[in-house]
Amino acid sequence: TQLLEQSPQFLSIQEGENLTVYCNSSSVFSSLQWYRQEPGEGPVLLVTVVTGGEVKKLKRLTFQFGDARKDSSLHITAAQTGDTGLYLCAGVRGNTPLVFGKGTRLSVIA
Amino acid sequence: DSGVTQTPKHLITATGQRVTLRCSPRSGDLSVYWYQQSLDQGLQFLIQYYNGEERAKGNILERFSAQQFPDLHSELNLSSLELGDSALYFCASSVQTGAKAEQYFGPGTRLTVT
């Protein structure tokens, strides 16, 4: 059983469209991280959300941590081809190692 | 460029063989983490070292072992390889230990077992 479920698994959209991907769990996390991984590269940390209900913006990317700290979403406005990649969420619980979801593979087509 | 280096980038070997993957952390980082990434399991934590000592263990098979050397580079040894061990292996490093520490990932080693 996956502790963090990410949906959708795959997403293919046209450039300029908006999208939201989700990261859900039945467990509470002290914080949640979002990474983007491009082909042939390792994951790169985009943001860490810590407080329930927190919203963080990174240019066209908006990250939200659920009030109960069990889920998170990533919204991309006006997607660009450069946004293509695998988006991973990772949960922090106490001092245990990071737990990763399986990711959402996003393809933005010109 | 994260500053974490991994060698080799690709490795093709046969079942039953033994391989060693190498990782050099970012300058100043004391923690090294190893992960395995496969299509069906996603990114799985294997093991963490902090300043030469094992700090945390995840889903690491008994056929796998790791160590961190005095110069802080780390090696992951995989033995009696099976087809199912084919995956991407990532190393990450951080200044501190603990799950909240920001981890920087290397480019990975793609292992193919035939």
Side-chain angles (χ1 to χ4, degrees):
Chain A
T1 308
Q2 197 73 13
L3 195 56
L4 279 169
E5 296 286 345
Q6 289 192 245
S7 60
Q9 221 177 328
F10 300 95
L11 188 55
S12 181
I13 61 169
Q14 294 287 326
E15 205 170 22
E17 291 183 356
N18 301 332
L19 66 115
T20 302
V21 299
Y22 302 91
C23 174
N24 295 305
S25 178
S26 55
S27 298
V28 175
F29 292 96
S30 55
S31 63
L32 215 133
Q33 301 175 352
W34 283 92
Y35 292 78
R36 179 169 65 215
Q37 183 179 7
E38 298 184 23
E41 303 290 331
V44 175
L45 181 65
L46 296 174
V47 78
T48 300
V49 284
V50 179
T51 309
E54 181 178 4
V55 177
K56 275 192 175 176
K57 290 195 174 185
L58 189 67
K59 296 182 183 177
R60 294 175 294 100
L61 278 60
T62 302
F63 304 85
Q64 185 160 10
F65 201 12
D67 290 341
R69 305 206 316 275
K70 292 182 180 181
D71 53 79
S72 181
S73 63
L74 158 59
H75 181 81
I76 301 179
T77 303
Q80 299 176 357
T81 55
D83 297 326
T84 293
L86 179 67
Y87 288 82
L88 296 161
C89 66
V92 178
R93 289 189 306 172
N95 232 15
T96 57
L98 275 180
V99 174
F100 282 84
K102 289 189 180 181
T104 291
R105 195 165 294 279
L106 173 65
S107 176
V108 182
I109 303 162
Chain B
D1 185 350
S2 67
V4 178
T5 59
Q6 288 187 248
T7 55
K9 190 142 178 81
H10 301 278
L11 196 48
I12 302 174
T13 190
T15 53
Q17 294 298 306
R18 182 179 188 275
V19 297
T20 297
L21 313 184
R22 184 189 166 102
C23 167
S24 291
R26 291 189 323 155
S27 177
D29 284 1
L30 299 178
S31 261
V32 169
Y33 310 77
W34 285 99
Y35 293 87
Q36 179 192 58
Q37 187 177 42
S38 61
L39 282 174
D40 56 339
Q41 292 295 321
L43 198 61
Q44 298 281 317
F45 168 74
L46 296 177
I47 197 164
Q48 179 205 354
Y49 282 81
Y50 178 77
N51 204 19
E53 300 285 329
E54 182 183 305
R55 185 54 67 101
K57 219 168 186 176
N59 300 320
I60 188 165
L61 299 171
E62 283 191 18
R63 300 183 284 109
F64 296 0
S65 65
Q67 53 184 330
Q68 185 179 28
F69 294 86
D71 67 352
L72 301 178
H73 91 272
S74 178
E75 292 180 358
L76 178 67
N77 301 296
L78 315 175
S79 62
S80 302
L81 284 167
E82 301 175 1
L83 295 178
D85 298 326
S86 295
L88 274 166
Y89 291 83
F90 287 102
C91 163
S93 73
S94 65
V95 173
Q96 298 169 331
T97 187
K100 291 182 181 178
E102 182 171 343
Q103 297 183 25
Y104 294 84
F105 283 79
T109 293
R110 182 175 292 279
L111 173 66
T112 303
V113 182
T114 62

